[in-house]
Amino acid sequence: MSKAKKEDSFPVFLVKLAVVVFIFRSFVFSPFSIPSESMLPRLLIGDYLLAAKWSYGYNRYSLPFSLPLIPGRILASTPDRGDIAVFKAPPTAELDYIKRVIGLPGDQIQMRDGILYINGDAVPKRRIDDFVLPVTQNMLDAAVSDGRISPCAGAQFEERDGEARLACRYPRFVETLPEGTSYEVLDLTTVPQDTTRVFTVPEGHLFMMGDNRDNSEDSRFPAEIGGGVGMVPMENLVGKAQIMMWSTDGSSKWLLPWTWFTAARWNRIGGTF
């Protein structure tokens, strides 16, 4: 009898472990990776963060594979302006996006000549030192994937240091929201989305924007496959960015274990949002 019980112990352990992981990922934290530069300068390609599931309440998108086990939203709360939030991107609600919460229900949002306006008032925008981003392997890979020649947003942003290492130099600013929350944004050049119509955020929705203002498919664009996200329903929220758990420059090789460590950006790990 004891032998049979011992033989059953490992399968039982696996089931228990699966249940614990399911609960943890559904109701505590869930990991997300950053595949694009839409949230520069705060988030880099190759960052891996944990999103807190309890921050905005729970719904079907809190569960792995979006299992329809939770009706509506329970323990729901409204994000604060300035939060970095993970959500299921409209219109399909299949892909995870991460953007900054800019507009709450009832707000009027507009961009005028690169300046953000909330309810008719300009959000202060102050120029600071340029953001210098050393080019890494995952940036080179992203450029190839996107069909770009330069790993930077354009060849005009490329520069080399004294050791001939390539980097991207971008104009950087600090915005300060009405509540006092400050964060850094990039504004690279003049683009059509620098000036928009006035958007009124519907009840139960959010206006989301990327910090890399000239390279972000966000609420300034209609929700369509391969395009923007429009107004994001709060029921699409997955979690709030909480802590950086890992970051890699993309140079690691699976068959060369020591490169897992040399590729790590150790100075980014453990940072909070």
Side-chain angles (χ1 to χ4, degrees), residues 34-210:
I34 306 302
S36 75
E37 296 183 338
S38 71
M39 283 297 290
L40 286 178
R42 182 63 185 90
L43 296 176
L44 311 182
I45 297 177
D47 284 347
Y48 291 79
L49 58 86
L50 290 175
K53 290 298 190 72
W54 67 84
S55 298
Y56 308 133
Y58 303 99
N59 56 35
R60 62 175 297 182
Y61 299 121
S62 303
L63 305 178
F65 312 110
S66 300
L67 295 173
L69 302 179
I70 300 177
R73 292 176 70 211
I74 59 175
L75 303 177
S77 63
T78 300
D80 294 324
R81 285 198 198 94
D83 282 0
I84 297 178
V86 178
F87 60 94
K88 292 293 183 180
T92 62
E94 294 177 354
L95 298 176
D96 291 321
Y97 272 34
I98 184 166
K99 306 288 182 187
R100 192 176 296 276
V101 177
I102 294 297
L104 302 177
D107 282 346
Q108 291 189 327
I109 307 297
Q110 186 181 25
M111 294 291 292
R112 301 183 205 165
D113 298 322
I115 302 297
L116 172 64
Y117 284 76
I118 299 178
N119 297 322
D121 295 325
V123 172
K125 180 179 178 182
R126 175 172 55 89
R127 179 68 187 264
I128 59 174
D129 292 343
D130 287 347
F131 178 61
V132 180
L133 179 63
V135 170
T136 58
Q137 185 60 49
N138 43 26
M139 293 170 63
L140 295 170
D141 294 341
V144 171
S145 177
D146 295 342
R148 292 184 284 115
I149 297 176
S150 174
C152 303
Q156 68 271 31
F157 300 108
E158 294 182 6
E159 69 171 27
R160 294 188 181 273
D161 62 17
E163 299 180 16
R165 292 173 298 194
L166 186 62
C168 306
R169 179 179 289 274
Y170 296 135
R172 179 168 50 172
F173 303 80
V174 170
E175 284 184 349
T176 302
L177 294 174
E179 296 80 5
T181 300
S182 295
Y183 50 88
E184 297 178 1
V185 299
L186 302 184
D187 190 358
L188 310 183
T189 185
T190 300
V191 293
Q193 60 265 34
D194 281 347
T195 299
T196 70
R197 64 180 178 86
V198 176
F199 298 93
T200 300
V201 185
E203 187 64 31
H205 289 70
L206 301 167
F207 193 96
M208 313 291 288
M209 293 183 69

